[in-house]
């Protein structure tokens, strides 16, 4: 699931293009429709030619509504960057491009709109050339260009094909097991209550799940989930999601709050960032470009996710940050914001409102103010920007999947730090070991590397357990009288290699998740139980066996009486013993016959088939089946026409 956003100057046809592509008018407010101007975020969706659903966030282009634009642009996977053919590049074209560049949103398509308003192809060539010059040196420098018209539908099919291509080249969303959603809309629905929307990242959400809303730490429960107006039970990373929350009022929430699973995410009023200060800043009131240094104690507006808050700049290691420079900044936020290391942000001057820079959150919880010119603080931030060894190792593990310990250490390229990093992620539960070697001390990494143990992330393991439980539960429901699911069938269902599957089942069995019984695997809770009707038929069959213990019903007759699955259960739990493909005995009858045959041979030295037949007043069929069975299980041995004990 992907989400894209529009970008571009006001009245360049962003909303009209989305309406033409999707049939959905993203201008949902009455004022927007009356003025023909996007004021707040609009939402739509489409299905690409390959069947992949894509959510769309339509943002306002007018400079007065840039703040609303920023609330939607921070969580997108790519962009349709719009430039009108009749006007070409305009001021908000440049500002939106600068924002995309700062957020490093490098997946996109350039849509030249309103081509029906241009009389000559030569003019279109000039517009395309102007756009290329504007994009040079930015993240969208190599983005494909498509000529379009919402009115005539020129280029719309090609736009979808190109969009599919560029999205296909981008990295899929990882499920890190820590779901969070930055709220961009809050409203109520009659009969349902509070609803929030946003783009889900880092994990999944499920109906009935308890969540925490930050920064206030409020608790609520998910009453329902929707994606693209379709009810769902399970929301996946990267999707646009509407969440119906119970236990919380609309007035307690606002845009920028974050919905997360409880306990792991924290809000902060102090954050360390790496800031890239823009080289050219358009001052709208002056109508010109100018360059001004960013100085200590400057007040800025800080935007991340859908949140915006005033912040005071604390420059680290320098007196001023010059245009085109990148530097370390500690921001004091006027209100707490929930964020994570690696989140992107935008910084704007409040007056005149202008985008001046942005970058990446390096430490969302530094805990205290840094001394501005202490080299230790700068060194620490440099290290954090690259990621801690354990974080780098975990990212490698999420990319590689189940991997032998030694291979993971090499793939991480951490050198001597890899062993300590692995010990860290194993000790705090972010990674787990599968298979041989799992009993080794976690700090003895060299010894672990010499085993065939596999390492997986905690998220991978949790998801596998869910899939195993779902597969086995479904199998038990379909085949309630079978002991368990055939091992190979379960492995095929999970799509695992034999080595990974064996290692995973060993851990699942040790943890009591499943019972691995060799040829089959079952849930610990699974019990084979007959229905009253089945039990009635079993009792009737057992009565027939007791009436004719030495000439009992055949296998075929038994199956006809109770059904094949019930018959197999009777064999498995030892009620019946099968001596041949057609002969079966009641277990107590079988044990008595074996005991008598042993006693006879011990007393007389051997026994013949005729003697067995006469001893039990049976027929040759049953006597022969029993003796051949005893030969097979190595109780007796045939010598000529007689049997002796082995």
């Amino acid at each position: 699931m992907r989400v894209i956003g529009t970008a571009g100057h006001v009245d360049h046809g962003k909303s009209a293009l989305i309406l033409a592509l999707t049939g959905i008018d993203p201008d949902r407010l009455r004022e927007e429709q009356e003025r023909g101007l996007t004021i707040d975020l609009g939402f739509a969706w489409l299905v690409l030619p390959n069947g992949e659903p894509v959510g769309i966030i339509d943002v306002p282009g007018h400079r007065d509504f840039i703040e609303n634009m920023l609330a939607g642009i921070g969580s997108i996977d790519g962009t349709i960057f719009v430039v009108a053919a009749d006007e070409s590049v305009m001021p908000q074209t440049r500002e939106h491009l600068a924002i995309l560049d700062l957020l490093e949103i490098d997946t996109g398509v350039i849509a030249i709109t309103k081509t029906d308003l241009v009389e000559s192809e030569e003019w279109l060539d000039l517009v395309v050339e102007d756009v290329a010059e504007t994009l040079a040196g930015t993240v969208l420098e190599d983005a494909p260009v498509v000529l379009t018209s919402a009115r005539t539908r020129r280029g719309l099919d090609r736009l979808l094909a190109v969009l599919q291509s560029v999205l296909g080249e981008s990295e899929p969303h990882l499920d890190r097991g820590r779901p969070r959603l930055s709220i961009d809309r809050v409203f109520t629905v009659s009969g349902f209550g509070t609803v929030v929307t946003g783009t889900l990242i880092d994990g999944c959400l499920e109906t009935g799940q308890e969540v925490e809303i930050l920064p206030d730490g409020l608790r609520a429960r998910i009453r329902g989930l929707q994606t693209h107006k379709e009810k769902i039970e399970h929301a996946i990373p990267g999707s646009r999601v509407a969440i119906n929350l119970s236990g919380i009022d609309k007035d307690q929430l606002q845009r920028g709050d974050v919905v997360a699973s409880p306990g792991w995410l924290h809000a902060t009023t102090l954050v360390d960032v790496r800031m890239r200060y823009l080289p050219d800043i358009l001052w709208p009131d002056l109508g010109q470009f100018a360059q001004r240094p960013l100085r200590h104690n400057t007040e800025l507006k800080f935007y991340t996710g859908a949140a915006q808050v005033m912040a005071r700049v604390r420059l680290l290691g320098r007196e001023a940050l010059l245009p085109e420079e990148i530097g370390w900044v500690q921001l004091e936020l006027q209100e707490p914001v929930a964020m994570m290391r690696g989140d992107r942000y935008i910084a704007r001057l409040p007056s005149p409102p202008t985008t001046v820079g942005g970058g990446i959150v390096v430490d969302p919880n530094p805990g205290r103010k840094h001394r501005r010119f202490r080299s230790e603080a700068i060194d620490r931030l440099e290290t954090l920007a690259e990621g801690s060894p354990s974080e780098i190792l975990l990212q490698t593990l999420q990319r590689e999947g189940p991997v032998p310990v030694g291979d993971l250490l090499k793939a991480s390229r951490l050198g001597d730090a890899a062993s300590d990093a692995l010990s860290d992620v194993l000790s705090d539960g972010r990674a787990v070991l599968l298979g041989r070697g799992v009993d080794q001390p976690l700090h003895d990494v060299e010894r672990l590397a010499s085993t065939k143990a596999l390492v997986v992330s905690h998220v991978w393991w949790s998801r596998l357990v869910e899939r195993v439980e779902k597969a086995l539960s479904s199998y038990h429901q379909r085949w309630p009288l079978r002991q368990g699911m055939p091992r190979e069938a379960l492995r095929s269902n999970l799509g695992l290699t034999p080595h990974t599957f064996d290692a995973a089942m060993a851990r699942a069995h040790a943890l009591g998740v499943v019972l691995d019984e060799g040829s089959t695997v079952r849930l610990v809770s699974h019990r084979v139980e007959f229905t009253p009707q089945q039990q009635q038929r079993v009792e009737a069959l057992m009565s027939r066996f007791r009436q004719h213990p030495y000439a009992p019903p055949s296998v075929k007759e038994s199956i006809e009486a109770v059904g094949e699955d019930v018959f197999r259960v009777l064999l498995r739990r030892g009620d019946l013993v099968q001596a041949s493909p057609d002969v079966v005995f009641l277990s107590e009858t079988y044990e008595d016959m074996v005991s008598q045959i042993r006693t006879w041979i011990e007393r007389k030295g051997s026994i013949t088939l005729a003697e067995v037949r006469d001893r039990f007043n049976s027929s040759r069929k049953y006597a022969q089946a029993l003796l051949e069975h005893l030969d097979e299980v190595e109780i007796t041995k045939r010598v000529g026409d007689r049997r002796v004990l082995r």
Side-chain angles (χ1 to χ4, degrees), residues 359-370:
I360 190 169
V361 173
V362 177
D363 188 352
N365 298 102
R368 60 183 177 82
K369 293 181 181 180
H370 302 306

Side-chain angles (χ1 to χ4, degrees), residues 11 23 41 79 127 167 374 395 410 412 423 474 536 565 572:
D11 201 32
L41 301 177
T79 182
V127 171
L167 287 175
R374 287 287 294 271
Q395 290 170 359
K410 293 176 184 177
S412 70
S423 294
S474 176
Q536 220 173 20
D565 282 346
R572 190 168 61 243

Side-chain angles (χ1 to χ4, degrees), residues 34 49 120 128 137 147 177 191 196 250 281 441 484 517 520 524 541 566 612:
E34 291 174 351
S120 68
V128 171
L147 302 178
V196 301
K250 170 184 177 291
I281 304 168
E517 297 175 317
T520 62
V524 175
L541 179 64
V566 172
V612 170

Side-chain angles (χ1 to χ4, degrees), residues 81-152:
F81 192 75
V82 172
V83 180
D86 60 335
E87 291 190 341
S88 193
V89 175
M90 297 294 281
Q92 260 57 62
T93 308
R94 297 182 185 278
E95 185 166 15
H96 282 206
L97 178 60
I99 290 169
L100 293 171
D101 203 43
L102 290 168
L103 295 174
E104 295 189 3
I105 298 171
D106 57 1
T107 298
V109 181
I110 314 304
I112 307 297
T113 57
K114 301 187 179 184
T115 56
D116 55 296
L117 300 181
V118 177
E119 294 182 358
S120 68
E121 291 297 317
E122 289 79 7
W123 175 262
L124 283 177
D125 291 341
L126 291 174
V127 171
V128 171
E129 185 178 338
D130 188 23
V131 170
E133 290 177 0
T134 303
L135 297 177
T138 72
V139 289
L140 294 179
E141 180 177 22
D142 298 322
V145 177
V146 180
L147 302 178
T148 70
S149 168
R151 189 174 67 84
T152 67

